[in-house]
Amino acid sequence: MDIRYSCNQRDFKRYTTEEVRDEMLITGLYKADEVVAVYSHVDRMVTLGCMPVHEEVPIDKGIDIWANFGTHYFLERREIGIFNIGDGAGTITADGVAYHLNRKDCLYIAQGTQKVTFKSDDAAHPAKFYMVSAPAHCRYETRLITLEQAAKRPLGSLETCNKRTINQFIHPSVLKTCQLSMGMTCLEPGSNWNTMPSHTHERRMEIYTYFDLPDDQVVFHMCGEPQQTRHIVMHNYDAVISPSWSIHSGVGTSNYTFIWAMGGENMEFDDMDNIATTDLR
């Protein structure tokens, strides 16, 4: 497991390109029949990827649970949200109950679930399970949320190059969780800006992953303090960690889709500190 210790905004403004990428960028999440995990000390969030091909893969494969978490199993004191963003469908089995996920479906698994495994329907077109886990201190209900069941929130316009639909999956309007919120934002063709005008939210951190991005295109993910902005060039299936003090906007060389995950003090989606675009530096 890759461990990332959180940096502060005073030091971050002096980082080189390589240091910014080492601190925030997550790559290589999908390896055949493996689980790749990155533990961030920003609100103790864990980002994971699993691409089962020929095996049914347990969530703790290759992870020393006691050494990294001091618990007996991964979700003993955690909750997790999982999206299938692969080309094919797959099945997640949680404590003996099987949940079938088509592309862009989401599964929330409650704290206290002891055994979780992943399997693809077709090895030639495997599922890619993208996951974010947050600490949790009580148990709610494990639930599958399809793309059709997600709460829809259209935003932006073609004139401002940011026409998009926010799909709220793991969200107070859809289901109860301890602190984890997750959703998927889909940009329309001809739009390439996300989360602009920009904002921070002092009470929550955020993790993005970008996908549906052609292999020869990129996203410039904006980060840093509003008056000390930096960027990270990101490719298809990359993820990025955003501390509470950092903006988290992006612009792509084509349209794309991204999944956002938040954890922290509250779950109010609109609790943010907005920044006028003309005030960015």
Side-chain angles (χ1 to χ4, degrees):
M1 178 182 287
D2 184 9
I3 308 293
R4 307 283 180 92
Y5 292 93
S6 57
C7 66
N8 65 68
Q9 59 268 51
R10 295 179 300 278
D11 292 341
F12 182 77
K13 68 180 65 174
R14 297 190 293 269
Y15 279 17
T16 65
T17 296
E18 291 75 16
E19 288 171 323
V20 171
R21 292 174 67 86
D22 289 345
E23 182 72 31
M24 291 185 168
L25 181 63
I26 300 172
T27 63
L29 281 171
Y30 306 101
K31 299 178 181 178
D33 298 319
E34 299 292 338
V35 174
V36 179
V38 176
Y39 186 114
S40 172
H41 277 263
V42 181
D43 287 301
R44 298 191 177 275
M45 302 285 271
V46 182
T47 305
L48 308 96
C50 180
M51 184 177 69
V53 179
H54 303 292
E55 302 176 12
E56 185 169 2
V57 181
I59 196 170
D60 57 354
K61 183 176 182 181
I63 301 173
D64 189 329
I65 296 297
W66 182 258
N68 287 289
F69 302 102
T71 58
H72 298 92
Y73 53 95
F74 182 70
L75 294 178
E76 183 175 339
R77 294 182 61 81
R78 287 186 161 272
E79 58 188 354
I80 194 168
I82 307 170
F83 281 83
N84 176 15
I85 59 175
D87 294 330
T91 298
I92 302 172
T93 302
D95 281 351
V97 180
Y99 300 89
H100 190 260
L101 277 71
N102 291 313
R103 192 171 193 270
K104 296 186 176 180
D105 287 346
C106 173
L107 180 66
Y108 169 77
I109 302 181
Q111 175 264 341
T113 304
Q114 295 191 32
K115 186 176 181 181
V116 179
T117 61
F118 306 97
K119 188 176 182 180
S120 291
D121 287 4
D122 182 359
H125 303 281
K128 288 186 175 78
F129 294 110
Y130 171 75
M131 302 169 259
V132 176
S133 174
H137 307 295
C138 68
R139 180 181 177 87
Y140 288 104
E141 178 185 359
T142 295
R143 181 176 161 190
L144 173 67
I145 309 108
T146 66
L147 179 59
E148 292 73 22
Q149 293 169 332
K152 305 292 192 292
R153 188 169 176 172
L155 287 176
S157 68
L158 287 175
E159 289 75 15
T160 51
C161 303
N162 65 351
K163 187 175 182 181
R164 62 202 190 275
T165 299
I166 298 175
N167 300 277
Q168 297 169 334
F169 287 80
I170 300 175
H171 185 271
S173 66
V174 180
L175 80 166
K176 287 186 176 182
T177 66
C178 289
Q179 67 160 316
L180 185 65
S181 296
M182 293 183 75
M184 178 188 299
T185 300
C186 303
L187 275 72
E188 299 280 343
S191 289
N192 50 11
W193 278 101
N194 77 73
T195 323
M196 184 62 74
S198 191
H199 63 262
T200 60
H201 22 73
E202 183 65 26
R203 292 150 291 279
R204 293 191 304 274
M205 66 87 71
E206 194 156 3
I207 298 171
Y208 276 15
T209 191
Y210 293 97
F211 66 107
D212 283 349
L213 182 69
D215 289 340
D216 60 347
Q217 304 296 314
V218 299
V219 170
F220 290 81
H221 179 84
M222 308 300 174
C223 56
E225 293 179 282
Q227 280 72 50
Q228 288 283 340
T229 60
R230 304 291 186 269
H231 71 263
I232 303 173
V233 179
M234 302 185 63
H235 297 90
N236 200 31
Y237 295 122
D238 285 351
V240 63
I241 300 165
S242 179
S244 60
W245 48 263
S246 176
I247 65 169
H248 40 277
S249 298
V251 60
T253 54
S254 74
N255 64 312
Y256 50 89
T257 301
F258 68 96
I259 293 170
W260 44 268
M262 292 188 286
E265 294 292 342
N266 67 20
M267 301 175 69
E268 296 297 324
F269 185 80
D270 293 319
D271 180 13
M272 58 189 69
D273 302 312
N274 293 303
I275 301 148
T277 304
T278 52
D279 289 338
L280 293 171
R281 298 290 184 268

